[in-house]
């Protein structure tokens, strides 16, 4: 701990914030449906494997649209109740009066992320790292960045070893004052952002979703608060209010 104290004494300050995001109407409806289903299963079923349903809720907390792929976890031979849940959720996702045509407004986290990124982009010269556990969520975030014309780099489990160092060097070599052509967002898989990855080119890090293991989140947060960082560091952890 003395080494950490010594490091903190000459690094810029670090500010950690938890941002509670309000559920969108469609998130609230689906969350209630899934919670009711799991409670019912706990009461009447001998089955105790609820991990797939917990993972389903974690994806729902990120964005309802991600459930379309995630519902495939329910195998055909599963009891009809689980199949009914999958069909009910898909029906909700297809109902125009429940879902907004603007996909941003269907996800509480995406709405907060959008406001946060726009503020950073317009009022600072800082760069941002966004961390998620899921490649499907990174895909969604990448599509969003393209729509906003944010110059973006991405590193996940599929990134080859020789490409990793190039991406990191490209992100870190930029001057303190960002230009429009410089990478603004670095999308990072929490599983790939382990010990040793140095991303001091950014000083703002957004944990889009939290990992089961707190050490994984701490490792991700440490990517920007490292030797060589010259700016104050801001870490934002997004949590969906009213969810697990």
């Amino acid at each position: 701990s003395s080494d950490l104290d010594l490091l903190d004494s000459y690094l810029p300050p670090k500010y950690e914030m938890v941002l509670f995001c309000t559920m969108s109407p469609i998130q609230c409806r689906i969350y209630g449906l899934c919670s009711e289903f799991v409670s019912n299963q706990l009461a009447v079923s001998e089955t105790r494997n609820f991990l797939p349903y917990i993972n389903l809720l974690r994806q729902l907390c990120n964005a309802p649209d991600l459930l379309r792929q995630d519902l495939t976890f329910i195998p055909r031979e599963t009891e009809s109740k689980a199949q009914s849940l999958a069909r009910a959720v898909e029906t909700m996702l297809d109902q125009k009066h429940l879902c907004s045509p603007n996909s941003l407004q269907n996800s509480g986290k995406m709405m907060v992320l959008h406001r946060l990124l726009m503020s950073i982009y317009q009022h600072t010269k800082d760069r941002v790292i966004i961390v998620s556990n899921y490649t499907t969520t990174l895909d969604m975030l990448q599509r969003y960045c393209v729509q906003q014309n944010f110059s973006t780099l991405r590193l996940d489990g599929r990134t080859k070893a020789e490409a990793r160092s190039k991406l990191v060097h490209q992100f870190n070599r930029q001057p303190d004052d960002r230009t429009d052509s410089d990478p603004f967002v670095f999308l990072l898989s929490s599983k790939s952002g382990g010990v040793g990855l140095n991303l001091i080119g950014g000083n703002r890090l957004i944990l889009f979703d939290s990992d089961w293991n707190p050490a994984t989140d701490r490792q991700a947060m440490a990517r920007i608060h490292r030797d060589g960082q010259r700016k104050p560091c801001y870490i934002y952890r997004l949590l969906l209010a009213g969810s697990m």
Side-chain angles (χ1 to χ4, degrees), residues 148-161:
Q148 301 300 321
N149 292 320
F150 292 152
S151 180
T152 308
L153 301 175
R154 173 172 172 169
L155 193 158
D156 59 28
R158 294 173 294 193
T159 308
K160 294 180 180 176

Side-chain angles (χ1 to χ4, degrees), residues 120-122 124-127 174-180 182-184 231:
I120 295 169
Y121 189 79
Q122 292 169 359
T124 78
K125 293 294 183 181
D126 296 347
R127 296 178 191 84
Q174 312 301 331
D176 284 343
D177 289 335
R178 187 195 77 239
T179 67
D180 288 344
D182 295 332
F184 170 55
K231 289 184 170 186

Side-chain angles (χ1 to χ4, degrees), residues 51-185:
L51 186 59
Y53 299 105
I54 292 172
N55 283 328
L56 186 79
L57 291 176
R58 291 180 76 197
Q59 286 283 50
L60 172 63
C61 289
N62 282 355
D65 289 339
L66 297 172
L67 293 186
R68 292 189 188 277
Q69 294 156 285
D70 235 47
L71 286 168
T72 57
F73 82 83
I74 300 174
R76 289 294 166 199
E77 63 273 12
T78 306
E79 70 273 21
S80 59
K81 286 183 179 178
Q83 287 294 342
S84 298
L85 172 68
R87 283 196 296 273
V89 170
E90 286 178 326
T91 300
M92 281 187 178
L93 289 170
D94 289 335
Q95 288 182 2
K96 296 285 190 290
H97 70 282
L98 289 177
C99 288
S100 167
N102 180 353
S103 60
L104 267 182
Q105 294 176 1
N106 291 326
S107 164
K109 283 188 180 183
M110 285 301 295
M111 285 193 283
V112 171
L113 177 81
H114 176 65
R115 293 182 189 131
L116 186 58
L117 286 181
M118 292 306 292
S119 179
I120 295 169
Y121 189 79
Q122 292 169 359
H123 302 297
T124 78
K125 293 294 183 181
D126 296 347
R127 296 178 191 84
V128 183
I129 294 99
I130 307 177
V131 183
S132 174
N133 284 280
Y134 303 99
T135 49
T136 49
T137 300
L138 290 176
D139 292 341
M140 175 188 72
L141 293 170
Q142 192 164 12
R143 288 193 297 272
Y144 161 79
C145 289
V146 169
Q147 290 167 357
Q148 301 300 321
N149 292 320
F150 292 152
S151 180
T152 308
L153 301 175
R154 173 172 172 169
L155 193 158
D156 59 28
R158 294 173 294 193
T159 308
K160 294 180 180 176
E162 59 271 20
R164 288 169 65 106
S165 56
K166 288 180 182 175
L167 289 171
V168 171
H169 178 68
Q170 184 182 352
F171 191 68
N172 289 344
R173 74 182 175 196
Q174 312 301 331
D176 284 343
D177 289 335
R178 187 195 77 239
T179 67
D180 288 344
S181 60
D182 295 332
F184 170 55
V185 173

